[in-house]
Amino acid sequence: MTTTPGTLYIISAPSGAGKTSLVKALLQTDIDLSLSISYTSRQPRPEEMDGRDYHFVTRQVFEQKLQEDEFLESAELYGNFYGTSKKWINETMMSGRDILLEIDSQGARQVRAVFPVAVGIFVLPPSLEVLEMRLRHRAQDSLEAISRRLAAAREELSHAGGYNYIIINDKLDRALQDLKCIIQAERLKTAKQLVRHHGLLAQLTRTSVL
Ligand code: 5GP
């Protein structure tokens, strides 16, 4: 078996589509997939941990990193900055591991400009009512933050057509199964398999001496 560069998966969704739970469940079952930990200038929520959920930095530190061209992509969302480490992506990809980027559609567009073969997956809530309900049940965000996120969700939804796959997150188990199917199919693509199993193919196509 030979190592091929890892595949870059981009997963986007409006806030409240259940993307984070879906990604968490996926990472527990797929040991070949690494999640990119973004940098953000947003304040950590009570249950969040630095280095696990995000690299939490000040606005000033973020802007410095931006100036030094450390981000593969970045975006300003709800008044905070978010960005993906270029160095981490390049190193992880070259090690052959697959990478998951949990980023918004602005970031996805920037990543696709650099890696056109990145696989885009958009997660949709099953209905507007469910989306609203999920946003309102988020105790950690203020009412003002919730209504801002609802307006932003509508905007984000308009970009779903630019992705390779769309998953409807009605039931978590079903959505997780869909996500696993996409990743499995990508791993079985001929271009990947030919490199990964070139020894096997060479053996199977060698003229038999019998
Ligand atoms: P939250 O503040 O709820 O954790 O995330 C808000 C939004 O920022 C989500 O849509 C999430 O996908 C997006 N996001 C998180 N990290 C990044 C990043 O590094 N780049 C971009 N463009 N978006 C990000």
Side-chain angles (χ1 to χ4, degrees):
M1 288 231 303
T2 308
T3 308
T4 59
T7 301
L8 206 50
Y9 295 95
I10 304 170
I11 186 158
S12 301
S15 196
K19 173 187 55 161
T20 306
S21 314
L22 192 57
V23 166
K24 208 169 153 195
L26 175 70
L27 290 169
Q28 280 168 0
T29 61
D30 192 330
I31 55 162
D32 296 317
L33 196 59
S34 295
L35 178 69
S36 162
I37 311 293
S38 298
Y39 283 80
T40 185
S41 64
R42 149 162 101 58
Q43 288 294 312
R45 295 186 182 128
E47 77 288 0
E48 286 179 329
M49 220 165 83
D50 185 38
R52 183 193 65 188
D53 300 289
Y54 282 102
H55 297 292
F56 293 100
V57 293
T58 61
R59 218 180 158 87
Q60 197 183 8
V61 168
F62 193 99
E63 281 172 347
Q64 193 180 335
K65 286 181 177 293
L66 196 59
Q67 256 179 15
E68 287 167 5
D69 198 26
E70 285 190 28
F71 297 123
L72 169 64
E73 62 74 36
S74 65
E76 188 174 356
L77 297 156
Y78 323 110
N80 299 306
F81 289 125
Y82 296 84
T84 301
S85 162
K86 197 185 269 186
K87 183 167 176 272
W88 185 88
I89 296 291
N90 288 336
E91 286 173 2
T92 310
M93 218 179 202
M94 291 329 290
S95 76
R97 291 186 64 76
D98 290 339
I99 296 172
L100 191 59
L101 296 181
E102 202 186 327
I103 60 175
D104 85 318
S105 61
Q106 301 171 62
R109 214 172 25 246
Q110 296 168 48
V111 173
R112 252 182 261 121
V114 183
F115 297 107
V117 292
V119 179
I121 304 163
F122 199 93
V123 182
L124 289 180
S127 67
L128 186 61
E129 290 73 27
V130 171
L131 180 74
E132 282 189 18
M133 195 185 68
R134 285 178 186 166
L135 283 178
R136 286 185 209 289
H137 282 161
R138 270 200 189 164
Q140 66 265 61
D141 285 334
S142 68
L143 264 180
E144 192 210 332
I146 292 170
S147 66
R148 259 192 292 142
R149 276 169 188 259
L150 201 52
R154 288 178 179 271
E155 209 286 314
E156 187 69 352
L157 283 165
S158 68
H159 299 285
Y163 287 70
N164 302 94
Y165 297 95
I166 291 180
I167 291 178
I168 313 290
N169 190 11
D170 190 0
K171 300 254 184 315
L172 182 71
D173 284 356
R174 181 61 212 272
L176 180 60
Q177 195 190 341
D178 286 346
L179 193 51
K180 285 181 179 172
C181 283
I182 293 167
I183 292 173
Q184 182 68 359
E186 289 293 329
R187 286 181 179 155
L188 294 175
K189 277 196 167 156
T190 304
K192 292 263 171 194
Q193 290 286 67
L194 282 179
V195 180
R196 202 179 283 133
H197 298 289
H198 80 104
L200 172 67
L201 253 139
Q203 185 197 36
L204 293 174
T205 52
R206 213 175 287 144
T207 316
S208 172
V209 286
L210 294 178

Short mmCIF file of all heavy atoms in Angstrom, two decimals, residues 25-74:
data_model
loop_
_atom_site.label_atom_id
_atom_site.label_comp_id
_atom_site.label_asym_id
_atom_site.label_seq_id
_atom_site.Cartn_x
_atom_site.Cartn_y
_atom_site.Cartn_z
N ALA A 25 -20.02 12.90 16.25
CA ALA A 25 -20.36 11.47 16.12
C ALA A 25 -19.50 10.81 15.05
O ALA A 25 -19.02 9.68 15.23
CB ALA A 25 -21.84 11.33 15.78
N LEU A 26 -19.25 11.51 13.97
CA LEU A 26 -18.44 10.95 12.89
C LEU A 26 -17.00 10.71 13.36
O LEU A 26 -16.43 9.64 13.11
CB LEU A 26 -18.43 11.91 11.69
CG LEU A 26 -17.51 11.51 10.54
CD1 LEU A 26 -18.07 10.28 9.82
CD2 LEU A 26 -17.33 12.64 9.54
N LEU A 27 -16.44 11.68 14.06
CA LEU A 27 -15.05 11.56 14.51
C LEU A 27 -14.85 10.40 15.49
O LEU A 27 -13.77 9.84 15.58
CB LEU A 27 -14.58 12.88 15.14
CG LEU A 27 -14.41 14.04 14.15
CD1 LEU A 27 -14.22 15.34 14.90
CD2 LEU A 27 -13.24 13.79 13.21
N GLN A 28 -15.92 10.07 16.23
CA GLN A 28 -15.81 8.94 17.16
C GLN A 28 -15.72 7.60 16.46
O GLN A 28 -15.24 6.63 17.02
CB GLN A 28 -17.02 8.94 18.12
CG GLN A 28 -16.84 9.94 19.25
CD GLN A 28 -18.11 10.19 20.04
OE1 GLN A 28 -19.15 9.61 19.75
NE2 GLN A 28 -18.02 11.06 21.03
N THR A 29 -16.21 7.56 15.21
CA THR A 29 -16.23 6.27 14.50
C THR A 29 -15.18 6.18 13.39
O THR A 29 -14.97 5.12 12.84
CB THR A 29 -17.62 6.01 13.87
OG1 THR A 29 -17.87 7.06 12.92
CG2 THR A 29 -18.72 6.00 14.91
N ASP A 30 -14.57 7.32 13.03
CA ASP A 30 -13.63 7.30 11.91
C ASP A 30 -12.24 7.74 12.37
O ASP A 30 -11.97 8.93 12.51
CB ASP A 30 -14.14 8.24 10.80
CG ASP A 30 -13.37 8.06 9.50
OD1 ASP A 30 -12.17 7.71 9.56
OD2 ASP A 30 -13.96 8.27 8.43
N ILE A 31 -11.37 6.75 12.58
CA ILE A 31 -10.05 7.08 13.13
C ILE A 31 -9.09 7.62 12.07
O ILE A 31 -8.00 8.07 12.40
CB ILE A 31 -9.40 5.87 13.85
CG1 ILE A 31 -9.34 4.67 12.90
CG2 ILE A 31 -10.13 5.52 15.13
CD1 ILE A 31 -8.35 3.62 13.35
N ASP A 32 -9.49 7.57 10.80
CA ASP A 32 -8.61 8.07 9.75
C ASP A 32 -8.89 9.54 9.39
O ASP A 32 -8.33 10.07 8.43
CB ASP A 32 -8.76 7.22 8.48
CG ASP A 32 -8.30 5.79 8.76
OD1 ASP A 32 -7.27 5.64 9.42
OD2 ASP A 32 -9.02 4.86 8.34
N LEU A 33 -9.79 10.14 10.15
CA LEU A 33 -10.21 11.50 9.86
C LEU A 33 -9.77 12.45 10.97
O LEU A 33 -9.98 12.16 12.15
CB LEU A 33 -11.74 11.51 9.75
CG LEU A 33 -12.44 12.67 9.10
CD1 LEU A 33 -11.99 12.85 7.66
CD2 LEU A 33 -13.95 12.42 9.12
N SER A 34 -9.13 13.58 10.60
CA SER A 34 -8.72 14.57 11.60
C SER A 34 -9.52 15.85 11.41
O SER A 34 -9.66 16.33 10.28
CB SER A 34 -7.25 14.93 11.43
OG SER A 34 -6.44 13.82 11.69
N LEU A 35 -9.98 16.40 12.50
CA LEU A 35 -10.73 17.65 12.45
C LEU A 35 -9.76 18.83 12.58
O LEU A 35 -8.91 18.84 13.48
CB LEU A 35 -11.75 17.70 13.60
CG LEU A 35 -12.57 18.99 13.71
CD1 LEU A 35 -13.55 19.11 12.55
CD2 LEU A 35 -13.34 19.02 15.04
N SER A 36 -9.89 19.79 11.69
CA SER A 36 -9.06 20.99 11.80
C SER A 36 -9.61 21.86 12.92
O SER A 36 -10.81 22.16 12.95
CB SER A 36 -9.10 21.75 10.46
OG SER A 36 -8.67 23.07 10.64
N ILE A 37 -8.76 22.23 13.85
CA ILE A 37 -9.19 23.11 14.95
C ILE A 37 -8.93 24.55 14.51
O ILE A 37 -7.77 24.94 14.32
CB ILE A 37 -8.41 22.82 16.27
CG1 ILE A 37 -8.41 21.31 16.60
CG2 ILE A 37 -8.96 23.65 17.43
CD1 ILE A 37 -9.74 20.72 16.94
N SER A 38 -10.00 25.30 14.33
CA SER A 38 -9.88 26.67 13.84
C SER A 38 -9.38 27.63 14.91
O SER A 38 -9.51 27.35 16.10
CB SER A 38 -11.25 27.17 13.38
OG SER A 38 -11.73 26.40 12.33
N TYR A 39 -8.86 28.74 14.45
CA TYR A 39 -8.56 29.86 15.35
C TYR A 39 -9.78 30.76 15.36
O TYR A 39 -10.43 30.94 14.33
CB TYR A 39 -7.35 30.65 14.84
CG TYR A 39 -6.04 29.95 15.11
CD1 TYR A 39 -5.61 28.91 14.29
CD2 TYR A 39 -5.26 30.30 16.20
CE1 TYR A 39 -4.42 28.24 14.55
CE2 TYR A 39 -4.07 29.64 16.46
CZ TYR A 39 -3.66 28.61 15.65
OH TYR A 39 -2.49 27.96 15.92
N THR A 40 -10.11 31.32 16.51
CA THR A 40 -11.20 32.29 16.56
C THR A 40 -10.93 33.37 17.60
O THR A 40 -10.26 33.11 18.60
CB THR A 40 -12.57 31.63 16.87
OG1 THR A 40 -13.59 32.63 16.80
CG2 THR A 40 -12.63 30.98 18.24
N SER A 41 -11.51 34.55 17.32
CA SER A 41 -11.39 35.65 18.28
C SER A 41 -12.64 35.67 19.18
O SER A 41 -12.76 36.53 20.03
CB SER A 41 -11.25 36.98 17.55
OG SER A 41 -12.41 37.26 16.80
N ARG A 42 -13.58 34.73 18.95
CA ARG A 42 -14.79 34.67 19.79
C ARG A 42 -14.43 34.18 21.20
O ARG A 42 -13.50 33.41 21.37
CB ARG A 42 -15.82 33.77 19.10
CG ARG A 42 -16.73 33.03 20.02
CD ARG A 42 -17.97 32.49 19.38
NE ARG A 42 -17.96 31.06 19.04
CZ ARG A 42 -17.77 30.08 19.91
NH1 ARG A 42 -17.44 30.32 21.16
NH2 ARG A 42 -17.83 28.82 19.50
N GLN A 43 -15.24 34.61 22.18
CA GLN A 43 -15.06 34.15 23.56
C GLN A 43 -15.47 32.68 23.65
O GLN A 43 -16.44 32.28 23.01
CB GLN A 43 -15.98 34.96 24.50
CG GLN A 43 -15.53 36.39 24.71
CD GLN A 43 -14.20 36.46 25.46
OE1 GLN A 43 -14.02 35.81 26.47
NE2 GLN A 43 -13.27 37.24 24.94
N PRO A 44 -14.77 31.86 24.46
CA PRO A 44 -15.21 30.47 24.60
C PRO A 44 -16.56 30.37 25.32
O PRO A 44 -16.84 31.18 26.19
CB PRO A 44 -14.11 29.84 25.48
CG PRO A 44 -13.10 30.87 25.74
CD PRO A 44 -13.56 32.18 25.21
N ARG A 45 -17.39 29.40 24.91
CA ARG A 45 -18.64 29.13 25.64
C ARG A 45 -18.28 28.27 26.85
O ARG A 45 -17.20 27.66 26.87
CB ARG A 45 -19.62 28.40 24.72
CG ARG A 45 -20.06 29.25 23.55
CD ARG A 45 -21.13 28.58 22.70
NE ARG A 45 -21.49 29.42 21.57
CZ ARG A 45 -21.51 29.01 20.30
NH1 ARG A 45 -21.22 27.77 19.99
NH2 ARG A 45 -21.85 29.85 19.33
N PRO A 46 -19.18 28.18 27.84
CA PRO A 46 -18.82 27.48 29.09
C PRO A 46 -18.23 26.08 28.91
O PRO A 46 -17.29 25.71 29.59
CB PRO A 46 -20.15 27.43 29.86
CG PRO A 46 -20.93 28.57 29.34
CD PRO A 46 -20.53 28.77 27.91
N GLU A 47 -18.78 25.31 27.98
CA GLU A 47 -18.33 23.92 27.85
C GLU A 47 -17.14 23.77 26.90
O GLU A 47 -16.61 22.66 26.72
CB GLU A 47 -19.50 23.01 27.40
CG GLU A 47 -19.89 23.09 25.92
CD GLU A 47 -20.59 24.38 25.50
OE1 GLU A 47 -20.81 25.27 26.35
OE2 GLU A 47 -20.92 24.51 24.31
N GLU A 48 -16.71 24.87 26.31
CA GLU A 48 -15.65 24.78 25.31
C GLU A 48 -14.25 24.83 25.93
O GLU A 48 -14.04 25.47 26.96
CB GLU A 48 -15.79 25.91 24.28
CG GLU A 48 -16.94 25.67 23.33
CD GLU A 48 -17.13 26.78 22.31
OE1 GLU A 48 -16.82 27.96 22.63
OE2 GLU A 48 -17.62 26.49 21.22
N MET A 49 -13.32 24.13 25.25
CA MET A 49 -11.95 24.05 25.77
C MET A 49 -10.97 24.55 24.69
O MET A 49 -11.11 24.16 23.52
CB MET A 49 -11.64 22.59 26.09
CG MET A 49 -10.84 22.40 27.36
SD MET A 49 -10.94 20.68 27.83
CE MET A 49 -9.68 20.01 26.82
N ASP A 50 -10.00 25.35 25.12
CA ASP A 50 -9.00 25.85 24.19
C ASP A 50 -8.16 24.69 23.65
O ASP A 50 -7.74 23.82 24.41
CB ASP A 50 -8.09 26.86 24.92
CG ASP A 50 -7.11 27.52 23.96
OD1 ASP A 50 -7.50 27.82 22.82
OD2 ASP A 50 -5.95 27.74 24.36
N GLY A 51 -7.97 24.66 22.35
CA GLY A 51 -7.16 23.60 21.75
C GLY A 51 -8.00 22.38 21.35
O GLY A 51 -7.56 21.57 20.54
N ARG A 52 -9.20 22.23 21.92
CA ARG A 52 -10.06 21.10 21.55
C ARG A 52 -11.18 21.58 20.62
O ARG A 52 -11.40 21.03 19.55
CB ARG A 52 -10.68 20.46 22.80
CG ARG A 52 -11.53 19.23 22.46
CD ARG A 52 -12.38 18.78 23.64
NE ARG A 52 -13.37 19.79 24.01
CZ ARG A 52 -14.14 19.71 25.09
NH1 ARG A 52 -14.02 18.71 25.93
NH2 ARG A 52 -15.04 20.66 25.35
N ASP A 53 -11.88 22.65 21.03
CA ASP A 53 -12.98 23.17 20.21
C ASP A 53 -12.48 24.24 19.23
O ASP A 53 -12.90 24.28 18.09
CB ASP A 53 -14.07 23.73 21.12
CG ASP A 53 -14.62 22.66 22.03
OD1 ASP A 53 -15.32 21.77 21.52
OD2 ASP A 53 -14.30 22.66 23.23
N TYR A 54 -11.63 25.09 19.72
CA TYR A 54 -11.00 26.15 18.92
C TYR A 54 -9.66 26.48 19.56
O TYR A 54 -9.42 26.14 20.71
CB TYR A 54 -11.84 27.45 18.97
CG TYR A 54 -13.07 27.46 18.09
CD1 TYR A 54 -14.33 27.25 18.64
CD2 TYR A 54 -12.97 27.71 16.73
CE1 TYR A 54 -15.48 27.29 17.84
CE2 TYR A 54 -14.10 27.74 15.92
CZ TYR A 54 -15.35 27.52 16.48
OH TYR A 54 -16.47 27.55 15.69
N HIS A 55 -8.83 27.21 18.82
CA HIS A 55 -7.71 27.90 19.43
C HIS A 55 -8.25 29.31 19.67
O HIS A 55 -8.49 30.06 18.71
CB HIS A 55 -6.50 27.96 18.49
CG HIS A 55 -5.96 26.61 18.14
ND1 HIS A 55 -5.34 25.80 19.07
CD2 HIS A 55 -5.95 25.92 16.98
CE1 HIS A 55 -4.96 24.68 18.49
NE2 HIS A 55 -5.33 24.72 17.23
N PHE A 56 -8.53 29.63 20.93
CA PHE A 56 -9.11 30.93 21.24
C PHE A 56 -7.99 31.96 21.37
O PHE A 56 -7.07 31.77 22.18
CB PHE A 56 -9.92 30.85 22.54
CG PHE A 56 -11.15 30.00 22.43
CD1 PHE A 56 -11.15 28.69 22.89
CD2 PHE A 56 -12.30 30.48 21.83
CE1 PHE A 56 -12.27 27.88 22.78
CE2 PHE A 56 -13.43 29.68 21.70
CZ PHE A 56 -13.42 28.37 22.18
N VAL A 57 -8.07 33.00 20.55
CA VAL A 57 -7.04 34.05 20.58
C VAL A 57 -7.72 35.42 20.61
O VAL A 57 -8.90 35.54 20.32
CB VAL A 57 -6.10 33.97 19.34
CG1 VAL A 57 -5.24 32.72 19.36
CG2 VAL A 57 -6.88 34.07 18.03
N THR A 58 -6.95 36.44 20.96
CA THR A 58 -7.51 37.79 20.94
C THR A 58 -7.63 38.25 19.50
O THR A 58 -6.99 37.68 18.59
CB THR A 58 -6.59 38.79 21.68
OG1 THR A 58 -5.33 38.79 21.00
CG2 THR A 58 -6.39 38.40 23.15
N ARG A 59 -8.41 39.29 19.31
CA ARG A 59 -8.58 39.88 17.99
C ARG A 59 -7.22 40.33 17.43
O ARG A 59 -6.94 40.15 16.24
CB ARG A 59 -9.51 41.10 18.13
CG ARG A 59 -10.46 41.27 17.01
CD ARG A 59 -11.32 42.49 17.24
NE ARG A 59 -11.85 42.93 15.97
CZ ARG A 59 -12.97 42.46 15.42
NH1 ARG A 59 -13.69 41.56 16.03
NH2 ARG A 59 -13.38 42.90 14.24
N GLN A 60 -6.42 40.86 18.33
CA GLN A 60 -5.10 41.37 17.94
C GLN A 60 -4.20 40.23 17.42
O GLN A 60 -3.57 40.35 16.37
CB GLN A 60 -4.46 42.02 19.15
CG GLN A 60 -3.31 42.92 18.83
CD GLN A 60 -2.68 43.47 20.10
OE1 GLN A 60 -3.01 43.06 21.21
NE2 GLN A 60 -1.76 44.39 19.95
N VAL A 61 -4.18 39.12 18.17
CA VAL A 61 -3.37 37.96 17.75
C VAL A 61 -3.89 37.43 16.42
O VAL A 61 -3.12 37.09 15.51
CB VAL A 61 -3.37 36.86 18.84
CG1 VAL A 61 -2.78 35.56 18.32
CG2 VAL A 61 -2.62 37.33 20.07
N PHE A 62 -5.23 37.37 16.28
CA PHE A 62 -5.81 36.86 15.04
C PHE A 62 -5.36 37.73 13.86
O PHE A 62 -4.93 37.23 12.82
CB PHE A 62 -7.34 36.82 15.12
CG PHE A 62 -7.96 36.03 14.01
CD1 PHE A 62 -8.36 34.72 14.21
CD2 PHE A 62 -8.09 36.57 12.73
CE1 PHE A 62 -8.91 33.97 13.16
CE2 PHE A 62 -8.62 35.83 11.68
CZ PHE A 62 -9.03 34.54 11.91
N GLU A 63 -5.47 39.04 14.04
CA GLU A 63 -5.12 39.97 12.95
C GLU A 63 -3.64 39.84 12.57
O GLU A 63 -3.29 39.95 11.40
CB GLU A 63 -5.48 41.40 13.34
CG GLU A 63 -6.97 41.65 13.14
CD GLU A 63 -7.45 42.98 13.69
OE1 GLU A 63 -6.70 43.63 14.44
OE2 GLU A 63 -8.60 43.35 13.37
N GLN A 64 -2.81 39.57 13.57
CA GLN A 64 -1.38 39.40 13.30
C GLN A 64 -1.16 38.14 12.47
O GLN A 64 -0.41 38.14 11.49
CB GLN A 64 -0.64 39.30 14.62
CG GLN A 64 0.87 39.43 14.46
CD GLN A 64 1.58 39.32 15.80
OE1 GLN A 64 0.98 39.61 16.85
NE2 GLN A 64 2.81 38.88 15.78
N LYS A 65 -1.83 37.06 12.84
CA LYS A 65 -1.71 35.81 12.09
C LYS A 65 -2.19 35.99 10.65
O LYS A 65 -1.63 35.45 9.71
CB LYS A 65 -2.50 34.69 12.78
CG LYS A 65 -1.83 34.18 14.04
CD LYS A 65 -2.64 33.06 14.67
CE LYS A 65 -1.95 32.49 15.88
NZ LYS A 65 -0.71 31.77 15.55
N LEU A 66 -3.27 36.78 10.52
CA LEU A 66 -3.84 37.05 9.20
C LEU A 66 -2.81 37.80 8.33
O LEU A 66 -2.58 37.45 7.17
CB LEU A 66 -5.09 37.91 9.38
CG LEU A 66 -6.06 38.04 8.22
CD1 LEU A 66 -6.58 36.67 7.81
CD2 LEU A 66 -7.24 38.93 8.62
N GLN A 67 -2.18 38.77 8.94
CA GLN A 67 -1.16 39.56 8.24
C GLN A 67 0.03 38.70 7.82
O GLN A 67 0.62 38.91 6.77
CB GLN A 67 -0.65 40.66 9.15
CG GLN A 67 -1.21 42.01 8.79
CD GLN A 67 -0.71 43.09 9.72
OE1 GLN A 67 0.26 42.90 10.46
NE2 GLN A 67 -1.37 44.22 9.69
N GLU A 68 0.37 37.73 8.69
CA GLU A 68 1.52 36.87 8.40
C GLU A 68 1.14 35.70 7.48
O GLU A 68 1.90 34.74 7.35
CB GLU A 68 2.15 36.40 9.72
CG GLU A 68 2.89 37.54 10.40
CD GLU A 68 3.28 37.28 11.84
OE1 GLU A 68 3.06 36.15 12.34
OE2 GLU A 68 3.80 38.22 12.48
N ASP A 69 -0.05 35.74 6.93
CA ASP A 69 -0.52 34.77 5.94
C ASP A 69 -0.56 33.33 6.51
O ASP A 69 -0.23 32.37 5.82
CB ASP A 69 0.39 34.84 4.70
CG ASP A 69 -0.25 34.20 3.49
OD1 ASP A 69 -1.50 34.16 3.43
OD2 ASP A 69 0.48 33.70 2.62
N GLU A 70 -0.98 33.21 7.77
CA GLU A 70 -1.00 31.89 8.40
C GLU A 70 -2.28 31.10 8.12
O GLU A 70 -2.38 29.94 8.48
CB GLU A 70 -0.83 32.04 9.93
CG GLU A 70 0.58 32.38 10.33
CD GLU A 70 0.80 32.29 11.83
OE1 GLU A 70 0.09 31.50 12.50
OE2 GLU A 70 1.67 33.01 12.32
N PHE A 71 -3.27 31.77 7.51
CA PHE A 71 -4.55 31.09 7.32
C PHE A 71 -4.80 30.64 5.88
O PHE A 71 -4.54 31.40 4.95
CB PHE A 71 -5.71 31.98 7.79
CG PHE A 71 -5.67 32.30 9.26
CD1 PHE A 71 -5.64 33.60 9.71
CD2 PHE A 71 -5.66 31.27 10.20
CE1 PHE A 71 -5.61 33.89 11.06
CE2 PHE A 71 -5.62 31.55 11.56
CZ PHE A 71 -5.59 32.86 11.99
N LEU A 72 -5.30 29.43 5.75
CA LEU A 72 -5.71 28.93 4.43
C LEU A 72 -6.96 29.69 4.00
O LEU A 72 -7.16 29.99 2.83
CB LEU A 72 -6.00 27.42 4.54
CG LEU A 72 -6.68 26.74 3.37
CD1 LEU A 72 -5.78 26.79 2.14
CD2 LEU A 72 -7.02 25.29 3.70
N GLU A 73 -7.82 29.97 4.97
CA GLU A 73 -9.02 30.77 4.74
C GLU A 73 -9.40 31.42 6.04
O GLU A 73 -9.00 30.96 7.11
CB GLU A 73 -10.18 29.88 4.23
CG GLU A 73 -10.63 28.79 5.18
CD GLU A 73 -11.44 29.26 6.38
OE1 GLU A 73 -12.22 30.21 6.22
OE2 GLU A 73 -11.28 28.70 7.47
N SER A 74 -10.18 32.49 5.94
CA SER A 74 -10.68 33.13 7.16
C SER A 74 -11.97 33.87 6.84
O SER A 74 -12.25 34.17 5.67
CB SER A 74 -9.64 34.09 7.71
OG SER A 74 -9.45 35.15 6.81
#
